[in-house]
Amino acid sequence: MALRPPRLSDAPLWREIRLRDKQMIESFWVTSPLSWTERHTDVCWVRECLEMRRAARAGRALPLVIEIDGRFAGQCNLERIDMYSRTAEMGIWLDSHASGRGVATAAGALLLDHAFGALALQRVTAPIRMDNVATARGAERLGFRHEGTMSGFLDVGGRVKDHELWAITSKHAPTGGFARALATQHVVAIPARGRRVGSARRERASFPLPRSRAVLVAVVRYYLRPFRRIHLRHALSRQPGAYSRLRLGPSAVSGAQVVLRPPRLSDAAAWREIRLRDRALIEPFWVTSTQSWAQRHTETIWVRECLLMRRTARAGHALPLVIEIDGQFAGQCNLERIDAHSRTAEMGIWLDSKVTHRGVGAAATTLLLEHAFGALRIHRITAPVGKGNVRAAHLMQRVGMKYEATMVSFLDVGGQRSDHDLWAVTSEHHALQPSASPDNRKQRVSISPRRDLAGGRSEAMT
């Protein structure tokens, strides 16, 4: 058995297995308006394969194929790779003819060895549907631990389903690695020559394409896509300059007007002043860095990060916004790790200490949630909150979020790897909640004519 990057020539076997195992796979797969047959053509595989290679080159994913005796037998992927938090999500599916032989467990072991070794990740998660008992047992066999239940996590099999959150950290890795531990337990024999785990960029793209005019057209369209003027992957990109004109609010709070807007280069001085003044409140919950706090908060850093935030917003990966009170910069409220496929995102907020305890954080968060669930059509938003960050937890509860799990060793903050609580809310649950803003009125969104700052991950600070 080996793990290798996907090839365009895998299309026939991929299609054959997926169509044959429809009854076993479809109920656990993301819902689509297309029929199962329409989702499994040679053209679909070619598009997926090219997208996987693109994600691998960008460092966002590590897509791999499970190969048994030189034959395609499934997939074993790392997705949502975040090198700032050093976390990733693992997913596996396997040919039913190869099940029951420990192949999936062995594939997971090889992938974990690579994740905690070559990639230097600290934490790998596995979302598993609550009734998927076999996969949960396989995860437990590898050493994954159940952390909680994520409500409305994913639309699979035609319905939005809750999923269990399973996770494993590098400190729980067995001595000598996962693959060696499995072999020692006589679970499965893994020949050393079969370990071909690696980046897709190392694989030569010289394999034959499935012979089809439609396949060739799909390849040509894929490579011509970057030259299109209009980017359709994100709601903000449907109009030229839409992000720069975005304005959420105003919302009246304690006699002041709270507005969310994109960051500006001219915010540098105000951002630096607040962050330096509030260091004692923010740094314990901010991602650790080798640079000093002052070095991380120069006006040059802001300009560089501001340009980066604009680029990620245009690409649809994030929605970074500034909290403005009566025209003055007062913090940030961001959507990060936006996944258009699963319609999920992660939220973070930090606020000037001078405006805390006035409901500003709740008003800003409500504006962002309304926009995310409305205009952006996001289904589920999460917020990681560090243990001991009582103010952040109180804010999450106030805006209708629910505590779901404690994520062990989630992020390196304040100089050490720290556990974080997972808070989340779905669009359905948010619609049932009363507004968290003091005036309890529906917020306005107008468009007038994570990665976050200094290499840190934003977290609620109100």
Side-chain angles (χ1 to χ4, degrees), residues 243-272:
Y243 170 64
S244 61
R245 300 194 305 270
L246 183 67
R247 182 182 174 88
L248 308 184
S251 177
V253 178
S254 302
Q257 297 294 311
V258 177
V259 169
L260 297 184
R261 60 158 174 84
R264 302 168 183 161
L265 298 180
S266 57
D267 292 324
W271 166 77
R272 183 173 185 272

Side-chain angles (χ1 to χ4, degrees), residues 179-194:
R180 182 178 294 276
L182 282 180
T184 302
Q185 297 167 11
H186 304 289
V187 176
V188 63
I190 306 171
R193 292 181 182 179

Side-chain angles (χ1 to χ4, degrees), residues 6-243:
R7 303 168 183 166
L8 300 181
S9 56
D10 291 324
L13 279 176
W14 169 78
R15 183 173 186 272
E16 175 188 336
I17 296 170
R18 300 280 293 188
L19 291 179
R20 187 220 313 141
D21 291 346
K22 173 185 177 181
Q23 297 301 321
M24 300 181 63
I25 300 174
E26 187 177 21
S27 60
F28 299 101
W29 217 254
V30 176
T31 303
S32 170
L34 300 177
S35 68
W36 193 249
T37 302
E38 291 172 334
R39 298 172 69 181
H40 292 88
T41 64
D42 287 350
V43 171
C44 289
W45 171 257
V46 168
R47 289 174 180 166
E48 181 178 332
C49 195
L50 294 174
E51 286 288 354
M52 288 189 290
R53 290 182 181 181
R54 182 179 182 181
R57 286 193 297 269
R60 298 192 304 271
L62 179 63
L64 297 169
V65 159
I66 301 172
E67 190 177 76
I68 301 178
D69 295 331
R71 181 183 174 87
F72 179 99
Q75 290 175 267
C76 186
N77 303 326
L78 279 182
E79 302 170 353
R80 300 187 182 186
I81 296 176
D82 185 343
M83 295 310 297
Y84 292 96
S85 62
R86 296 193 177 280
T87 60
E89 183 179 294
M90 187 173 76
I92 301 176
W93 73 267
L94 185 67
D95 181 352
S96 62
H97 289 179
S99 62
R101 295 158 50 188
V103 174
T105 306
L110 287 173
L111 188 58
L112 287 174
D113 281 340
H114 186 71
F116 293 138
L119 299 184
L121 297 181
Q122 292 290 322
R123 173 182 163 90
V124 174
T125 63
I128 301 174
R129 214 175 83 174
M130 297 186 68
D131 55 349
N132 195 349
V133 179
T135 301
R137 286 177 179 171
E140 191 172 17
R141 195 178 198 180
L142 281 170
F144 280 77
R145 301 183 179 187
H146 179 263
E147 293 186 337
T149 299
M150 302 179 291
S151 61
F153 177 73
L154 201 59
D155 189 347
V156 293
R159 296 181 61 186
V160 175
K161 295 284 188 177
D162 297 349
H163 282 60
E164 293 180 338
L165 176 61
W166 291 76
I168 190 168
T169 63
S170 58
K171 66 181 180 181
H172 293 130
T175 303
F178 293 88
R180 182 178 294 276
L182 282 180
T184 302
Q185 297 167 11
H186 304 289
V187 176
V188 63
I190 306 171
R193 292 181 182 179
R195 300 183 187 180
R196 288 193 282 156
V197 177
S199 172
R201 74 184 73 177
R202 301 174 185 171
E203 190 80 6
R204 294 183 180 180
S206 58
F207 305 100
L209 279 167
R211 295 183 179 180
S212 165
R213 179 178 297 179
V215 167
L216 294 177
V217 170
V219 173
V220 171
R221 285 182 175 177
Y222 177 84
Y223 284 109
L224 289 178
R225 185 174 60 177
F227 297 98
R228 297 179 185 177
R229 288 188 175 182
I230 301 178
H231 212 296
L232 299 178
R233 288 188 304 165
H234 194 265
L236 291 176
S237 305
R238 293 175 182 170
Q239 304 175 33
Y243 170 64

Side-chain angles (χ1 to χ4, degrees), residues 347 361-362 365-366 369 394-401 430 433 436:
M347 183 185 72
T365 303
T366 300
L369 292 176
H394 177 71
L395 173 62
M396 298 304 106
Q397 188 174 28
R398 183 175 180 183
V399 298
M401 286 192 161
H430 179 73
Q433 297 289 332

